Amino acid sequence: DMSSNLSFSIALLDANDTGMIITELYLRNSSTIYVREIKDGICDIKLSEEEQEAMENARRIYNKKIRGDAVKC
C-alpha cells in the first residue's frame, strides 16, 4: 500500500516560530488536509510525530541558513 508514502507534513515558520503546519493524509479512497496554527512554537492541538518532525526540520533549516551553513535537504 503506497498511501502512507504520499502523505506529508510541512512547517512554514517565521523567525519567531509562528506560522503553520500543513498536513495532507492520503488514503486509498480519500485525502484530507489539516492546517495547524503555530504561535511562538506552540500549537493548541497536539501535533502528530510527523508534524513535530516537520517543525523541528523547519527550525533546523532556518538556523543553518542564518549561520550561512549549507542546507542539506
Side-chain angles (χ1 to χ4, degrees):
D1 185 10
M2 293 265 312
S3 61
S4 63
N5 293 336
L6 299 174
S7 298
F8 69 88
S9 291
I10 184 170
L12 306 169
L13 303 173
D14 66 11
N16 299 313
D17 276 353
T18 296
M20 68 180 84
I21 298 175
I22 301 169
T23 298
E24 194 270 345
L25 298 175
Y26 178 83
L27 304 173
R28 188 174 296 211
N29 295 319
S30 66
S31 179
T32 305
I33 296 175
Y34 298 94
V35 177
R36 311 279 194 218
E37 182 180 10
I38 306 295
K39 183 158 172 93
D40 298 323
I42 298 170
C43 183
D44 292 338
I45 300 168
K46 184 175 179 354
L47 298 176
S48 70
E49 286 183 38
E50 292 82 6
E51 291 167 327
Q52 187 67 40
E53 183 179 345
M55 194 159 75
E56 291 168 6
N57 285 338
R59 288 176 177 150
R60 179 181 54 82
I61 290 169
Y62 177 81
N63 288 332
K64 283 187 176 186
K65 288 179 99 173
I66 292 300
R67 290 193 314 255
D69 297 345
V71 177
K72 181 179 178 184
C73 297

PDB file of all heavy atoms in Angstrom, residues 13-17 57-72:
ATOM      1  N   LEU A  13       7.351  28.425   9.139  1.00  0.00           N
ATOM      2  CA  LEU A  13       7.522  29.223  10.354  1.00  0.00           C
ATOM      3  C   LEU A  13       8.399  30.439  10.095  1.00  0.00           C
ATOM      4  O   LEU A  13       9.302  30.387   9.274  1.00  0.00           O
ATOM      5  CB  LEU A  13       8.196  28.373  11.443  1.00  0.00           C
ATOM      6  CG  LEU A  13       7.506  27.078  11.834  1.00  0.00           C
ATOM      7  CD1 LEU A  13       8.388  26.283  12.792  1.00  0.00           C
ATOM      8  CD2 LEU A  13       6.151  27.349  12.449  1.00  0.00           C
ATOM      9  N   ASP A  14       8.128  31.508  10.834  1.00  0.00           N
ATOM     10  CA  ASP A  14       8.998  32.677  10.750  1.00  0.00           C
ATOM     11  C   ASP A  14      10.059  32.594  11.847  1.00  0.00           C
ATOM     12  O   ASP A  14      10.175  31.587  12.558  1.00  0.00           O
ATOM     13  CB  ASP A  14       8.180  33.974  10.823  1.00  0.00           C
ATOM     14  CG  ASP A  14       7.488  34.194  12.161  1.00  0.00           C
ATOM     15  OD1 ASP A  14       7.782  33.461  13.133  1.00  0.00           O
ATOM     16  OD2 ASP A  14       6.644  35.109  12.239  1.00  0.00           O
ATOM     17  N   ALA A  15      10.820  33.656  12.016  1.00  0.00           N
ATOM     18  CA  ALA A  15      11.913  33.665  12.991  1.00  0.00           C
ATOM     19  C   ALA A  15      11.415  33.544  14.431  1.00  0.00           C
ATOM     20  O   ALA A  15      12.169  33.193  15.328  1.00  0.00           O
ATOM     21  CB  ALA A  15      12.738  34.941  12.835  1.00  0.00           C
ATOM     22  N   ASN A  16      10.137  33.815  14.656  1.00  0.00           N
ATOM     23  CA  ASN A  16       9.549  33.719  15.994  1.00  0.00           C
ATOM     24  C   ASN A  16       8.828  32.397  16.215  1.00  0.00           C
ATOM     25  O   ASN A  16       8.067  32.265  17.174  1.00  0.00           O
ATOM     26  CB  ASN A  16       8.570  34.867  16.229  1.00  0.00           C
ATOM     27  CG  ASN A  16       9.253  36.212  16.141  1.00  0.00           C
ATOM     28  OD1 ASN A  16      10.310  36.419  16.717  1.00  0.00           O
ATOM     29  ND2 ASN A  16       8.663  37.124  15.393  1.00  0.00           N
ATOM     30  N   ASP A  17       9.061  31.422  15.334  1.00  0.00           N
ATOM     31  CA  ASP A  17       8.360  30.128  15.399  1.00  0.00           C
ATOM     32  C   ASP A  17       6.851  30.296  15.318  1.00  0.00           C
ATOM     33  O   ASP A  17       6.087  29.571  15.952  1.00  0.00           O
ATOM     34  CB  ASP A  17       8.723  29.355  16.673  1.00  0.00           C
ATOM     35  CG  ASP A  17      10.000  28.559  16.531  1.00  0.00           C
ATOM     36  OD1 ASP A  17      10.534  28.490  15.406  1.00  0.00           O
ATOM     37  OD2 ASP A  17      10.458  28.002  17.531  1.00  0.00           O
ATOM     38  N   ASN A  57      12.418  20.200  11.663  1.00  0.00           N
ATOM     39  CA  ASN A  57      13.183  20.361  10.419  1.00  0.00           C
ATOM     40  C   ASN A  57      13.181  21.808   9.949  1.00  0.00           C
ATOM     41  O   ASN A  57      14.203  22.322   9.488  1.00  0.00           O
ATOM     42  CB  ASN A  57      12.634  19.447   9.323  1.00  0.00           C
ATOM     43  CG  ASN A  57      13.024  18.011   9.522  1.00  0.00           C
ATOM     44  OD1 ASN A  57      13.994  17.699  10.210  1.00  0.00           O
ATOM     45  ND2 ASN A  57      12.258  17.102   8.936  1.00  0.00           N
ATOM     46  N   ALA A  58      12.028  22.479  10.059  1.00  0.00           N
ATOM     47  CA  ALA A  58      11.952  23.889   9.650  1.00  0.00           C
ATOM     48  C   ALA A  58      12.888  24.735  10.508  1.00  0.00           C
ATOM     49  O   ALA A  58      13.596  25.604   9.996  1.00  0.00           O
ATOM     50  CB  ALA A  58      10.515  24.387   9.761  1.00  0.00           C
ATOM     51  N   ARG A  59      12.905  24.474  11.807  1.00  0.00           N
ATOM     52  CA  ARG A  59      13.806  25.217  12.704  1.00  0.00           C
ATOM     53  C   ARG A  59      15.268  24.946  12.351  1.00  0.00           C
ATOM     54  O   ARG A  59      16.090  25.857  12.316  1.00  0.00           O
ATOM     55  CB  ARG A  59      13.561  24.803  14.150  1.00  0.00           C
ATOM     56  CG  ARG A  59      12.276  25.313  14.722  1.00  0.00           C
ATOM     57  CD  ARG A  59      12.085  24.765  16.112  1.00  0.00           C
ATOM     58  NE  ARG A  59      10.880  25.286  16.726  1.00  0.00           N
ATOM     59  CZ  ARG A  59      10.174  24.616  17.621  1.00  0.00           C
ATOM     60  NH1 ARG A  59      10.552  23.407  17.999  1.00  0.00           N
ATOM     61  NH2 ARG A  59       9.094  25.149  18.139  1.00  0.00           N
ATOM     62  N   ARG A  60      15.599  23.691  12.102  1.00  0.00           N
ATOM     63  CA  ARG A  60      16.983  23.307  11.784  1.00  0.00           C
ATOM     64  C   ARG A  60      17.444  23.989  10.492  1.00  0.00           C
ATOM     65  O   ARG A  60      18.523  24.571  10.432  1.00  0.00           O
ATOM     66  CB  ARG A  60      17.079  21.788  11.633  1.00  0.00           C
ATOM     67  CG  ARG A  60      18.455  21.289  11.272  1.00  0.00           C
ATOM     68  CD  ARG A  60      18.475  19.759  11.111  1.00  0.00           C
ATOM     69  NE  ARG A  60      17.471  19.274  10.179  1.00  0.00           N
ATOM     70  CZ  ARG A  60      17.595  19.250   8.851  1.00  0.00           C
ATOM     71  NH1 ARG A  60      18.691  19.702   8.293  1.00  0.00           N
ATOM     72  NH2 ARG A  60      16.634  18.783   8.084  1.00  0.00           N
ATOM     73  N   ILE A  61      16.604  23.949   9.472  1.00  0.00           N
ATOM     74  CA  ILE A  61      16.965  24.564   8.197  1.00  0.00           C
ATOM     75  C   ILE A  61      17.100  26.078   8.346  1.00  0.00           C
ATOM     76  O   ILE A  61      18.047  26.687   7.844  1.00  0.00           O
ATOM     77  CB  ILE A  61      15.937  24.187   7.111  1.00  0.00           C
ATOM     78  CG1 ILE A  61      16.094  22.707   6.762  1.00  0.00           C
ATOM     79  CG2 ILE A  61      16.099  25.058   5.868  1.00  0.00           C
ATOM     80  CD1 ILE A  61      14.968  22.153   5.912  1.00  0.00           C
ATOM     81  N   TYR A  62      16.181  26.705   9.082  1.00  0.00           N
ATOM     82  CA  TYR A  62      16.252  28.153   9.300  1.00  0.00           C
ATOM     83  C   TYR A  62      17.549  28.514  10.019  1.00  0.00           C
ATOM     84  O   TYR A  62      18.247  29.442   9.626  1.00  0.00           O
ATOM     85  CB  TYR A  62      15.040  28.630  10.100  1.00  0.00           C
ATOM     86  CG  TYR A  62      15.098  30.102  10.420  1.00  0.00           C
ATOM     87  CD1 TYR A  62      14.723  31.036   9.463  1.00  0.00           C
ATOM     88  CD2 TYR A  62      15.540  30.556  11.651  1.00  0.00           C
ATOM     89  CE1 TYR A  62      14.792  32.396   9.734  1.00  0.00           C
ATOM     90  CE2 TYR A  62      15.620  31.907  11.931  1.00  0.00           C
ATOM     91  CZ  TYR A  62      15.236  32.814  10.970  1.00  0.00           C
ATOM     92  OH  TYR A  62      15.314  34.148  11.232  1.00  0.00           O
ATOM     93  N   ASN A  63      17.878  27.771  11.065  1.00  0.00           N
ATOM     94  CA  ASN A  63      19.099  28.076  11.835  1.00  0.00           C
ATOM     95  C   ASN A  63      20.351  27.910  10.992  1.00  0.00           C
ATOM     96  O   ASN A  63      21.289  28.685  11.110  1.00  0.00           O
ATOM     97  CB  ASN A  63      19.174  27.188  13.086  1.00  0.00           C
ATOM     98  CG  ASN A  63      18.159  27.613  14.121  1.00  0.00           C
ATOM     99  OD1 ASN A  63      17.775  28.762  14.193  1.00  0.00           O
ATOM    100  ND2 ASN A  63      17.705  26.669  14.926  1.00  0.00           N
ATOM    101  N   LYS A  64      20.401  26.912  10.114  1.00  0.00           N
ATOM    102  CA  LYS A  64      21.560  26.739   9.238  1.00  0.00           C
ATOM    103  C   LYS A  64      21.664  27.876   8.236  1.00  0.00           C
ATOM    104  O   LYS A  64      22.754  28.343   7.928  1.00  0.00           O
ATOM    105  CB  LYS A  64      21.487  25.397   8.507  1.00  0.00           C
ATOM    106  CG  LYS A  64      21.859  24.234   9.386  1.00  0.00           C
ATOM    107  CD  LYS A  64      21.932  22.962   8.594  1.00  0.00           C
ATOM    108  CE  LYS A  64      22.409  21.821   9.462  1.00  0.00           C
ATOM    109  NZ  LYS A  64      22.616  20.602   8.696  1.00  0.00           N
ATOM    110  N   LYS A  65      20.534  28.346   7.718  1.00  0.00           N
ATOM    111  CA  LYS A  65      20.573  29.445   6.746  1.00  0.00           C
ATOM    112  C   LYS A  65      21.047  30.728   7.414  1.00  0.00           C
ATOM    113  O   LYS A  65      21.789  31.504   6.820  1.00  0.00           O
ATOM    114  CB  LYS A  65      19.196  29.638   6.113  1.00  0.00           C
ATOM    115  CG  LYS A  65      18.826  28.526   5.153  1.00  0.00           C
ATOM    116  CD  LYS A  65      17.474  28.753   4.575  1.00  0.00           C
ATOM    117  CE  LYS A  65      17.621  29.350   3.216  1.00  0.00           C
ATOM    118  NZ  LYS A  65      16.359  29.471   2.494  1.00  0.00           N
ATOM    119  N   ILE A  66      20.638  30.953   8.660  1.00  0.00           N
ATOM    120  CA  ILE A  66      21.058  32.147   9.375  1.00  0.00           C
ATOM    121  C   ILE A  66      22.572  32.135   9.603  1.00  0.00           C
ATOM    122  O   ILE A  66      23.240  33.142   9.478  1.00  0.00           O
ATOM    123  CB  ILE A  66      20.315  32.252  10.734  1.00  0.00           C
ATOM    124  CG1 ILE A  66      18.826  32.521  10.501  1.00  0.00           C
ATOM    125  CG2 ILE A  66      20.917  33.318  11.634  1.00  0.00           C
ATOM    126  CD1 ILE A  66      18.518  33.794   9.752  1.00  0.00           C
ATOM    127  N   ARG A  67      23.119  30.962   9.911  1.00  0.00           N
ATOM    128  CA  ARG A  67      24.563  30.850  10.142  1.00  0.00           C
ATOM    129  C   ARG A  67      25.332  30.809   8.828  1.00  0.00           C
ATOM    130  O   ARG A  67      26.550  30.886   8.829  1.00  0.00           O
ATOM    131  CB  ARG A  67      24.868  29.566  10.929  1.00  0.00           C
ATOM    132  CG  ARG A  67      24.400  29.610  12.367  1.00  0.00           C
ATOM    133  CD  ARG A  67      24.998  28.462  13.167  1.00  0.00           C
ATOM    134  NE  ARG A  67      24.930  27.194  12.491  1.00  0.00           N
ATOM    135  CZ  ARG A  67      24.075  26.210  12.781  1.00  0.00           C
ATOM    136  NH1 ARG A  67      23.200  26.377  13.729  1.00  0.00           N
ATOM    137  NH2 ARG A  67      24.103  25.072  12.137  1.00  0.00           N
ATOM    138  N   GLY A  68      24.651  30.620   7.712  1.00  0.00           N
ATOM    139  CA  GLY A  68      25.328  30.553   6.433  1.00  0.00           C
ATOM    140  C   GLY A  68      25.829  29.174   6.069  1.00  0.00           C
ATOM    141  O   GLY A  68      26.593  29.009   5.131  1.00  0.00           O
ATOM    142  N   ASP A  69      25.401  28.152   6.839  1.00  0.00           N
ATOM    143  CA  ASP A  69      25.790  26.762   6.536  1.00  0.00           C
ATOM    144  C   ASP A  69      25.074  26.280   5.293  1.00  0.00           C
ATOM    145  O   ASP A  69      24.004  26.765   4.938  1.00  0.00           O
ATOM    146  CB  ASP A  69      25.417  25.827   7.699  1.00  0.00           C
ATOM    147  CG  ASP A  69      26.163  26.168   8.980  1.00  0.00           C
ATOM    148  OD1 ASP A  69      27.155  26.917   8.908  1.00  0.00           O
ATOM    149  OD2 ASP A  69      25.749  25.680  10.038  1.00  0.00           O
ATOM    150  N   ALA A  70      25.663  25.305   4.638  1.00  0.00           N
ATOM    151  CA  ALA A  70      24.981  24.641   3.518  1.00  0.00           C
ATOM    152  C   ALA A  70      23.802  23.859   4.084  1.00  0.00           C
ATOM    153  O   ALA A  70      23.912  23.234   5.130  1.00  0.00           O
ATOM    154  CB  ALA A  70      25.933  23.711   2.783  1.00  0.00           C
ATOM    155  N   VAL A  71      22.674  23.915   3.415  1.00  0.00           N
ATOM    156  CA  VAL A  71      21.473  23.217   3.864  1.00  0.00           C
ATOM    157  C   VAL A  71      21.333  21.936   3.060  1.00  0.00           C
ATOM    158  O   VAL A  71      21.265  21.971   1.835  1.00  0.00           O
ATOM    159  CB  VAL A  71      20.220  24.094   3.679  1.00  0.00           C
ATOM    160  CG1 VAL A  71      18.978  23.307   4.083  1.00  0.00           C
ATOM    161  CG2 VAL A  71      20.351  25.371   4.484  1.00  0.00           C
ATOM    162  N   LYS A  72      21.347  20.813   3.756  1.00  0.00           N
ATOM    163  CA  LYS A  72      21.158  19.518   3.104  1.00  0.00           C
ATOM    164  C   LYS A  72      19.722  19.078   3.327  1.00  0.00           C
ATOM    165  O   LYS A  72      19.286  18.915   4.462  1.00  0.00           O
ATOM    166  CB  LYS A  72      22.125  18.489   3.691  1.00  0.00           C
ATOM    167  CG  LYS A  72      22.011  17.138   3.044  1.00  0.00           C
ATOM    168  CD  LYS A  72      23.012  16.167   3.644  1.00  0.00           C
ATOM    169  CE  LYS A  72      22.847  14.795   3.009  1.00  0.00           C
ATOM    170  NZ  LYS A  72      23.730  13.815   3.637  1.00  0.00           N
TER     171      LYS A  72
END
